[in-house]
Amino acid sequence: MATPRPPVLPEETAFVDLLRTTDLLSRRLFDVLKTENLSSEQYNVLRILRGAPQGLTCGEIGNRMISRDPDITRLLDRLEKHGLIARTRPRDDRRMVLTHVTAQGLAALSRLDRPVRAAHRRQLGHLGPERLKMLAELLSDCRSRLG
């Protein structure tokens, strides 16, 4: 005889809904990114580096990623192989390696800017500014409580 399932908690329902929504949003964005042969993680790295013209170390990039990638070095290797990033060692500290987005990487981002924004508008624009702000605040509150 099976044990009856306990009632579904609202937290469980919200969690599953977040996962489903993230999956749908990610799949639609993937369709846009594949026009430049980029994964969402690669796109994220390029966006991070565009905002850091002084360059960033591997660890700094990893800390700014949306989702943690345990093998950030391999991710950077692929981007470098395609000419989208470059890594250099500063003269004053040869132990450090800084990563910069290249002109080719900036061009790819530039080509993606408009289609990515349009995808976001199609996916979430129906919520309107006030509800989007509320959603962002709720999600931020969830993250802050998780550490």
Side-chain angles (χ1 to χ4, degrees):
M1 186 162 150
T3 306
R5 187 184 190 291
V8 176
L9 297 171
E11 295 86 351
E12 182 180 2
T13 301
F15 180 80
V16 171
D17 285 345
L18 280 169
L19 291 178
R20 286 182 176 151
T21 304
T22 298
D23 181 59
L24 283 171
L25 292 171
S26 297
R27 280 192 272 155
R28 302 265 163 74
L29 185 60
F30 175 76
D31 291 340
V32 174
L33 298 179
K34 75 179 176 183
T35 63
E36 292 291 329
N37 295 312
L38 290 174
S39 69
S40 57
E41 293 82 8
Q42 291 170 326
Y43 175 69
N44 190 22
V45 168
L46 293 176
R47 284 184 62 235
I48 289 166
L49 292 172
R50 176 168 58 181
Q54 76 284 2
L56 295 172
T57 64
C58 186
E60 290 169 325
I61 294 168
N63 288 337
R64 295 181 187 195
M65 294 286 289
I66 291 171
S67 55
R68 300 287 178 216
D69 188 329
D71 198 357
I72 189 81
T73 302
R74 193 174 318 164
L75 178 61
L76 295 178
D77 288 344
R78 286 191 299 270
L79 288 168
E80 187 173 40
K81 178 181 174 188
H82 289 82
L84 301 172
I85 65 163
R87 291 183 267 194
T88 60
R89 291 185 185 274
R91 283 186 172 27
D92 59 332
D93 186 352
R94 303 289 298 155
R95 296 169 296 169
M96 184 186 313
V97 176
L98 291 177
T99 305
H100 300 83
V101 64
T102 63
Q104 187 176 337
L106 289 172
L109 284 170
S110 180
R111 289 188 298 271
L112 286 169
D113 283 340
R114 185 170 280 144
V116 166
R117 288 182 134 202
H120 291 321
R121 273 193 221 98
R122 278 191 310 275
Q123 292 174 328
L124 298 170
H126 67 282
L127 294 175
E130 289 301 314
R131 290 173 62 200
L132 285 169
K133 182 180 178 193
M134 183 187 321
L135 176 60
E137 289 170 356
L138 289 168
L139 294 171
S140 177
D141 187 43
C142 288
R143 285 190 309 275
S144 71
R145 294 181 187 275
L146 295 171

